[in-house]
Amino acid sequence: MPLLPRRFERLKAVLDRRMGDLTVLLEHVEKPHNLSAILRSCDAVGVIEAHAVSLAERLPTFNTTAQGSQKWVALQRHADSTAMIRQLQQRGFRVYGTHLAVEAVDYRRCDYTGPTAFLLGAEKWGLSEAASAAVDQAIFIPMRGMVQSLNVSVAAATLLFEALRQRQTAGLVPERGEGLAPEQYQRLLFEWAYPQVADWCRREGRPYPALGEEGEILEELPRTVKLRC
Ligand code: SAM
């Protein structure tokens, strides 16, 4: 089915509000319903990519809780937690580790208007010692009940929406694509609009074709590829 102009406008409207400087790092969060719920919250807030360290032999899997959000929020996989944290720090992110350390502060006391990554831990064990030691700041969400911790996806949503709230208050939420580098925006727009053609281009080592005003591909493609549009 051809890409409808209305669908193209919707894709652009969502990309216009995506934030490249807000993300989550997941350390051994393995349950499909948790991963799915976290990616769904990422999509809702405007996160463009999330990061995960998972057991070597296990591919992250999602269930219906995701509602397809794994298509709109890329999950980058890493082999090692400390390397993942360092990589984000080198890119200018401040990494907030979620655990109840003595030095942890109430999450509402931190400023998330700059590049921010929330590190969340495994369902059963929480964060590893190595990961906790590598973060810039430990934070916690105060609890008032009998149970000591929140479900990890609830913690992720609470933190992400606090970051969004702070950015909205500061007038720092992108509305016209300024949250992404222009080349990243164009690449994602093509991949979202034409995922199968994008796959083909990557396999062939070709750049993505340019798109017209209404999302039409401005290049003659082989017939078999055209059928996938
Ligand atoms: N027994 C584990 C522990 O001591 O960390 C509980 C893990 S908890 C179910 C899973 C993850 O959810 C945690 O590693 C953390 O990332 C997040 N989390 C849960 N409750 C939290 C809270 N009150 N504040 C911040 N993060 C929380």
Side-chain angles (χ1 to χ4, degrees), residues 22-134:
L22 179 62
T23 191
V24 293
L25 314 184
L26 310 176
E27 188 186 39
H28 299 302
V29 175
E30 310 284 357
K31 292 190 178 152
H33 62 271
N34 285 335
L35 274 177
S36 300
I38 291 171
L39 285 200
R40 191 165 165 181
S41 296
C42 284
D43 175 61
V45 164
V47 169
I48 196 70
E49 70 176 15
H51 300 261
V53 171
S54 36
L55 299 173
E57 68 284 6
R58 227 185 259 179
L59 269 181
T61 49
F62 307 96
N63 67 13
T64 51
T65 308
Q67 291 281 299
S69 43
Q70 69 273 26
K71 278 196 286 187
W72 316 114
V73 181
L75 186 64
Q76 305 292 347
R77 296 184 71 206
H78 300 256
D80 171 79
S81 304
T82 315
M84 168 174 74
I85 295 167
R86 296 273 179 254
Q87 191 193 100
L88 271 287
Q89 287 168 331
Q90 274 158 15
R91 284 172 54 190
F93 282 79
R94 188 165 172 76
V95 178
Y96 292 90
T98 50
H99 65 125
L100 298 170
V102 193
E103 69 277 14
V105 299
D106 183 325
Y107 78 109
R108 292 163 297 190
R109 289 182 44 208
C110 297
D111 177 359
Y112 308 122
T113 54
T116 297
F118 295 116
L119 173 67
L120 295 130
E123 287 90 347
K124 199 159 183 188
W125 312 111
L127 293 182
S128 67
E129 270 182 40
S132 304

